[in-house]
Amino acid sequence: MSQPPPPPGSGYPPPVSPPTGPPMAPPPGGGRASRRRRSKSPVGVVVGAAMALALVAGGVWLAVDGGSGDGGGGKGGDSADGAVEARVLGKVPMPEVDEMVNTPGMWVTDKNLVKADVNKIVGYPLTGGAASWEIPLDGELCWSSPRVTESGLTAVLFQDDSQDNPVCTQVGLVDLRKGKLVWTKQGRETGESASDRPIMFDEVSIGDDTVAAGGISGGAAWSVDGKPLWMPDSDADCSDKGYVGDGAKLVAVRECGDSGSPRLEVQTVDPRTRAVKSSYTVTPGIKYAHVVSTDPLVIGVNAGDSSGSGVSDFLAVDDSAKEGKLLSTFGMGGGKYQADCDATNVGGCSEIVVDKAAHALYLATDYRAGTASGPSNEIVAIDLRTGKVTAKADGAEGGPLVPVRLDEDGSLIAYQEATLSQGGAVWRVDTTSYEKKKLMQNPEETAFVESVALHRELVYAGGRLYIGNTSASKPSTDSGKKSPLALVLGAK
């Protein structure tokens, strides 16, 4: 049975210890410096999804039955009629490197596939081919925001190679439509004990025309016209570990007190002034919090067995008042459900989609390792108002389905994992009937590339599937095969 939501202000979950009751559980991710994946799929890899330009989905999680999920609505049917037999339209070649180099970030605009590369960002035609433009950077990329403003702006974080020991200090605003680095900024501490050294950041985000970067040294922000908005105070007892922006909202995770036993506050802030609009305090003992969605506000924490996902529990918070109110929780059940969050960062969660208009959350169940035939997993729908599993769609035979995003008509777009002998596929799930229809089947020739990529971004836009690597590396010593940095699949 479902556990009832804890009382408002209780700061669930309890201090770090494995949950003893029924399990509880959980867009957008984006470019990351690295991703840790679970060995769950048929080829030992489960891959997250980076969202397409202007199509990032957020999420809310409520208390739900940690058992089988029975009692929900019926399952829809299946159809592969009319599916596109995709072919490789274009490849971005893997750069020649002596060691692994981070290349997080891939976006699709109305004109270009834009891919982060080694010390640069490059725009290509939508179907691949020769580069249309290139933005050189002063060092290796550390983090890229998957979110893009209506005017085509996004934010990146990269190293300063002019230093003897380059670290992630350079915050950049990128115009993806013009192929231009609009500006580069560095943060510096304020306060009596401030040093003049640039601040090292861990991640960056953009929300309501504010670029905000955070990390162990605190957070800083600039307007898109380059005006400094705030810098960390070296004398303060609290510091911003990171931010997630989306649309008109900006949410900060603030750490106070001793780093060994921190107190975390999740704050919805004014993007112009950082004035706190709402604040929610996480239970003491939780060291890391992830902002999965800003509207509605959803927080991920690791309070027990996260089974390698970086998160064990998700909290839905009402941030309409000054003091945030915990609505309910949903847990991963020790691996029963699939999602992925970077272990220590504020942003970086994926494999989750929320339909705010329909009050529904969609996420995948774990891969059925012992299944010889039939669906490899399920995608479940959770009613955000009741926290109950209301419907489920069977996955596909061969490889499990992973939620990617909502389509323009409200349907769910899902990616089917590849195997070593079968390319992946793209499916659409009708969120009313839960019938699913295959949109695209990838060719056998891409099976290896799709199945072995441990650090991967996915964008499905304009009837094409874009697959990008978040790092550049040497060919695999086991196979000798060389994966491209990015791949474009589709009919044309």
Side-chain angles (χ1 to χ4, degrees):
M1 295 178 61
S2 300
Q3 290 182 330
S10 63
Y12 186 90
V16 180
S17 62
T20 56
M24 293 172 288
R32 282 71 137 186
S34 64
R35 299 299 303 273
R36 286 185 282 276
R37 295 295 179 193
R38 286 90 65 208
S39 295
K40 299 286 186 180
S41 75
V43 293
V45 177
V46 168
V47 187
M51 304 304 144
L53 173 63
L55 291 170
V56 179
V60 128
W61 284 265
L62 303 173
V64 66
D65 186 2
S68 66
D70 293 340
K75 302 177 183 180
D78 225 14
S79 174
D81 294 341
V84 169
E85 293 295 330
R87 60 188 179 89
V88 177
L89 301 179
K91 294 181 181 181
V92 176
M94 182 68 71
E96 297 289 341
V97 294
D98 294 326
E99 57 186 16
M100 190 178 75
V101 178
N102 290 320
T103 61
M106 184 172 70
W107 310 266
V108 176
T109 73
D110 57 346
K111 294 182 179 179
N112 293 109
L113 158 65
V114 184
K115 181 69 188 85
D117 206 312
V118 176
N119 294 23
K120 60 185 178 181
I121 298 172
V122 186
Y124 299 91
L126 289 172
T127 54
S132 302
W133 49 261
E134 181 177 306
I135 301 172
L137 302 175
D138 293 336
E140 182 177 345
L141 276 153
C142 308
W143 189 276
S144 295
S145 173
R147 294 170 173 84
V148 183
T149 68
E150 291 183 0
S151 56
L153 302 175
T154 194
V156 297
L157 175 67
F158 55 98
Q159 295 180 355
D160 180 2
D161 278 356
S162 67
Q163 303 299 311
D164 293 335
N165 183 28
V167 292
C168 305
T169 59
Q170 307 286 91
V171 178
L173 178 68
V174 178
D175 189 324
L176 296 173
R177 293 177 180 170
K178 297 180 180 179
K180 177 182 178 182
L181 182 63
V182 181
W183 50 249
T184 302
K185 303 291 182 182
Q186 291 183 328
R188 297 182 186 275
E189 292 178 334
T190 61
E192 293 183 1
S193 59
S195 70
D196 192 43
R197 294 191 301 272
I199 298 169
M200 182 177 70
F201 297 114
D202 295 325
E203 54 190 299
V204 67
S205 191
I206 186 167
D208 197 23
D209 290 338
T210 292
V211 175
I216 58 174
S217 300
W222 299 263
S223 63
V224 292
D225 60 9
K227 177 184 176 182
L229 299 178
W230 63 83
M231 293 289 164
D233 184 349
S234 61
D235 302 318
D237 292 330
C238 302
S239 62
D240 290 352
K241 300 318 238 177
Y243 307 87
V244 171
D246 195 3
K249 293 192 70 174
L250 185 66
V251 175
V253 171
R254 192 162 178 82
E255 181 182 284
C256 302
D258 183 80
S259 60
S261 181
R263 183 180 79 257
L264 297 181
E265 297 178 8
V266 180
Q267 301 176 335
T268 300
V269 304
D270 186 314
R272 299 290 189 274
T273 65
R274 212 215 163 282
V276 179
K277 296 181 176 181
S278 180
S279 183
Y280 173 78
T281 301
V282 180
T283 297
I286 302 296
K287 293 187 177 181
Y288 303 105
H290 318 289
V291 177
V292 182
S293 168
T294 65
D295 184 20
L297 178 58
V298 181
I299 307 163
V301 298
N302 189 354
D305 181 13
S306 67
S307 296
S309 66
V311 62
S312 64
D313 300 87
F314 288 84
L315 321 178
V317 176
D318 179 356
D319 64 345
S320 61
K322 191 72 174 178
E323 182 178 345
K325 176 183 177 181
L326 181 66
L327 298 176
S328 53
T329 63
F330 183 72
M332 296 288 284
K336 176 179 175 62
Y337 300 99
Q338 289 296 300
D340 192 48
C341 294
D342 288 310
T344 62
N345 293 111
V346 172
C349 291
S350 63
E351 301 180 10
I352 319 158
V353 172
V354 162
D355 185 345
K356 182 179 179 182
H359 309 285
L361 160 72
Y362 310 109
L363 73 162
T365 60
D366 192 17
Y367 169 64
R368 297 168 179 166
T371 302
S373 61
S376 298
N377 72 335
E378 295 175 326
I379 290 181
V380 298
I382 300 169
D383 190 311
L384 303 181
R385 296 159 296 190
T386 65
K388 301 294 184 181
V389 175
T390 57
K392 58 185 72 173
D394 274 335
E397 186 171 344
L401 289 184
V402 177
V404 175
R405 65 166 175 86
L406 292 177
D407 206 353
E408 290 81 353
D409 65 358
S411 298
L412 177 68
I413 298 298
Y415 172 72
Q416 182 181 359
E417 302 287 352
T419 69
L420 289 175
S421 60
Q422 174 182 299
V426 178
W427 292 78
R428 175 184 284 123
V429 179
D430 186 304
T431 52
T432 301
S433 66
Y434 290 90
E435 295 179 350
K436 70 179 188 295
K437 178 179 177 59
K438 184 185 286 189
L439 301 180
M440 177 187 297
Q441 175 63 57
N442 295 342
E444 183 179 343
E445 68 177 283
T446 66
F448 177 83
V449 172
E450 292 183 77
S451 62
V452 300
L454 294 177
H455 310 280
R456 185 173 68 191
E457 301 158 308
L458 300 175
V459 174
Y460 179 72
R464 304 183 190 93
L465 179 65
Y466 300 86
I467 304 175
N469 273 293
T470 61
S471 62
S473 59
K474 291 182 176 181
S476 168
T477 55
D478 294 333
S479 65
K481 294 183 179 180
K482 189 172 184 178
S483 298
L485 188 64
L487 189 65
V488 185
L489 294 160
K492 60 180 180 180

